[in-house]
Amino acid sequence: MKGIMAFLRGLGLKNVRPSWYAWFFNFFFSLSIYFGYYRVFSQAAGDTKIAADIAGEIGIFTFLGEIANHYGSSLALVFSLTIAGAVLYFLVSIFAAGGIFSVLVGDERPSLSNLIASSVENFSPMLKIFLANLLNWAAALAIPLILLSIYANIEPLTVNETALQLSIYFWFGLTLLALVISTAIYDFSRIFKLKEGLNVFSALKKAVIFTFSNKWNLSVIFLAYAVSLVMFGLIYMVI
């Protein structure tokens, strides 16, 4: 019940403006990346037949394979730009999150000026929290990888189709659970950092304890969030 009430409070009008703030950064970042990378990929593809249909349904692996076959030297540039784009995306997300979390946690008026000022002020603490959570994500990634290596060495799973299918479902479920837990820990570590002024590792430790102490309520919140995403996806498909 607590989880449902927390989710419903999150739909309040107060959170609309911070949501628009996040969407603004995501929209313009995605737009610039799309057109910038479209140009780079077009040049990398050169005069290949597939280059004329980059915007079509050729698939990214087919497209990169075509570049590798005809213009292999361009792959280094493509992957370098991909890494640079990922780093830039994380920096933009950290900047925007600093303003959003600060306004929500501090119960400030969610005006655009407050959001921008808080983003600037809290960028450094949010970056440190992000770097500290690399440990969190490494632990979350290690569990599925260890399980995958175990599966690969169990001979009955590799020859029995039913057992293999069931193990894959179990592996995906465990991976999803690890992702949910690591995301919750990351979010709460940011909240504790801003709300209580803890150092990054104290905030991370408290977030881990809080997440596992409230696992059922958090499960309800994430489930409600997933259902809402599915509903919006269905509405988008219909429209």
Side-chain angles (χ1 to χ4, degrees), residues 45-92:
D47 298 325
T48 60
K49 294 179 182 179
I50 212 166
D53 191 33
I54 295 177
E57 298 179 357
I58 61 172
I60 185 64
F61 292 107
T62 305
F63 176 60
L64 291 177
E66 191 74 3
I67 294 177
N69 290 332
H70 295 273
Y71 296 89
S73 60
S74 299
L75 277 180
L77 175 62
V78 170
F79 285 118
S80 297
L81 286 171
T82 301
I83 293 172
V87 171
L88 183 59
Y89 173 76
F90 282 121
L91 291 176
V92 170

Side-chain angles (χ1 to χ4, degrees), residues 78-112:
V78 170
F79 285 118
S80 297
L81 286 171
T82 301
I83 293 172
V87 171
L88 183 59
Y89 173 76
F90 282 121
L91 291 176
V92 170
S93 299
I94 291 166
F95 177 83
I100 294 169
F101 275 81
S102 179
V103 165
L104 295 179
V105 170
D107 203 25
E108 301 176 23
R109 183 171 172 268
S111 64
L112 182 60

Side-chain angles (χ1 to χ4, degrees), residues 99-187:
I100 294 169
F101 275 81
S102 179
V103 165
L104 295 179
V105 170
D107 203 25
E108 301 176 23
R109 183 171 172 268
S111 64
L112 182 60
S113 58
N114 278 345
L115 285 165
I116 294 175
S118 296
S119 288
V120 173
E121 180 184 357
N122 295 302
F123 177 74
S124 179
M126 290 294 96
L127 179 59
K128 292 175 182 177
I129 281 289
F130 172 80
L131 295 175
N133 270 274
L134 292 177
L135 297 173
N136 166 29
W137 293 314
L141 183 63
I143 297 172
L145 288 179
I146 292 171
L147 190 60
L148 192 62
S149 66
I150 294 173
Y151 282 169
N153 292 305
I154 299 177
E155 188 174 343
L157 289 179
T158 59
V159 296
N160 188 312
E161 185 176 346
T162 302
L164 179 61
Q165 191 172 19
L166 290 174
S167 64
I168 289 174
Y169 288 147
F170 177 76
W171 183 84
F172 272 112
L174 184 65
T175 302
L176 181 61
L177 179 62
L179 178 63
V180 168
I181 293 173
S182 61
T183 301
I185 291 172
Y186 178 45
D187 284 343

